[in-house]
Amino acid sequence: QGAILAQAESGLRGAPFSLIGRCQPRPCPSGVAQPAPNKTCAMPGQTKLFVENRIIRRREQEAKEMSLRRQVTENNLLAGHGASAVRVEAKRRARSEAAERRELFMDYTHVTAQQDKARRMQIAAFEEHLADELSRRKASQHREETEKRRICDGSEELRALKERLHMAKVNKERAQQLLEIGVRDHHDRLKEHHLAEHMENERLQHIELEHKLNIEKLKQRERVKVINQQQ
């Protein structure tokens, strides 16, 4: 369109001058009245003005269109910059959140490690204190026992009492042994008595059986004798 308008403008710029030159009145001889100018001779100037106005309006229209295009382009650029800014902000926010999560995880790991370390130190201190307390109690008990033995060995009355206690213990054990021996003897005597009683009962039963057998034999003889007499 710009090329066509430029060609039309160049054509129109050359046309009015040629038309004006053609429409200018020729010189008349002296004494002869010049005719009135033709109305058609004023047309090229008006056409030129009309074309120039039209060209001006066209250029203004093109300028407006160019301005609109520039605005559209700028808006597109701004929209692209806005989208890019949104993407950059989203990436920055994601990086910030990732960094914050890493920092929180590192803090949690550090706190957990410190708590574990403190707990291990507390357990170690408790075990050390317990071992010290047990060692102290054992040493105190050993000292008390040593002191008791020293006192008992150094006192005559306690040594005599200890000997009496020992003799009483020995006598008690001996009495216990004698009692056990007596109990065993008593059980043995009871067993022998029961055995003798059982043997005596068996002997008496045997004698009774023999007596019964003899009586039965006598009865048999009497019956045989009676039978023989009856025959």
Side-chain angles (χ1 to χ4, degrees):
Q1 291 179 359
I4 294 171
L5 291 173
Q7 185 178 1
E9 183 179 1
S10 62
L12 289 173
R13 285 179 181 177
F17 295 102
S18 61
L19 292 173
I20 292 170
R22 291 179 182 177
C23 294
Q24 286 181 356
R26 297 179 180 177
C28 296
S30 59
V32 180
Q34 296 181 356
N38 193 1
K39 292 182 180 180
T40 57
C41 295
M43 292 295 292
Q46 294 178 356
T47 302
K48 180 180 179 182
L49 182 61
F50 174 74
V51 172
E52 289 178 353
N53 291 331
R54 187 172 182 181
I55 290 170
I56 291 169
R57 287 195 299 272
R58 176 65 65 181
R59 288 179 179 175
E60 291 177 353
Q61 185 67 27
E62 289 178 355
K64 291 180 180 180
E65 291 177 358
M66 289 297 293
S67 177
L68 290 174
R69 290 195 188 96
R70 283 195 299 272
Q71 290 180 0
V72 170
T73 303
E74 290 177 356
N75 289 331
N76 291 332
L77 289 174
L78 291 175
H81 288 307
S84 178
V86 170
R87 288 195 297 273
V88 170
E89 180 65 21
K91 290 181 180 179
R92 186 193 64 78
R93 188 180 298 110
R95 287 194 297 271
S96 177
E97 290 177 356
E100 185 176 357
R101 286 195 297 271
R102 285 195 299 271
E103 185 177 357
L104 289 174
F105 180 74
M106 290 178 65
D107 291 341
Y108 171 75
T109 305
H110 178 70
V111 170
T112 304
Q114 292 295 325
Q115 290 178 353
D116 292 338
K117 183 178 179 181
R119 185 165 56 253
R120 287 194 297 271
M121 291 177 64
Q122 186 176 2
I123 292 172
F126 177 75
E127 291 178 350
E128 184 178 1
H129 177 71
L130 181 61
D132 294 339
E133 183 66 22
L134 291 175
S135 178
R136 187 184 64 79
R137 290 184 181 181
K138 187 175 181 180
S140 178
Q141 185 177 2
H142 180 70
R143 285 195 301 270
E144 290 178 358
E145 291 178 355
T146 304
E147 185 68 18
K148 287 179 180 179
R149 284 196 300 270
R150 186 183 64 79
I151 293 172
C152 291
D153 294 338
S155 177
E156 292 292 337
E157 294 179 357
L158 291 175
R159 187 162 53 250
L161 179 61
K162 185 176 180 180
E163 290 177 357
R164 285 198 298 272
L165 289 173
H166 180 68
M167 290 299 295
K169 182 179 180 181
V170 171
N171 293 329
K172 183 178 179 181
E173 290 177 354
R174 187 176 297 173
Q176 185 70 25
Q177 292 175 357
L178 292 174
L179 181 61
E180 291 177 356
I181 293 171
V183 170
R184 283 198 300 270
D185 292 339
H186 178 68
H187 284 299
D188 292 338
R189 285 195 298 272
L190 285 176
K191 286 180 181 179
E192 291 176 356
H193 177 70
H194 289 159
L195 180 62
E197 185 178 1
H198 179 69
M199 292 178 68
E200 182 66 19
N201 290 331
E202 286 184 350
R203 189 180 67 79
L204 292 174
Q205 288 178 0
H206 183 69
I207 292 172
E208 185 178 0
L209 287 174
E210 287 182 352
H211 180 68
K212 287 181 179 180
L213 182 62
N214 292 327
I215 292 173
E216 186 67 26
K217 286 180 179 179
L218 289 173
K219 288 180 179 180
Q220 288 289 339
R221 288 176 185 175
E222 289 292 331
R223 283 197 296 270
V224 170
K225 185 177 180 180
V226 170
I227 292 170
N228 290 328
Q229 289 177 359
Q230 289 179 357
Q231 290 179 356

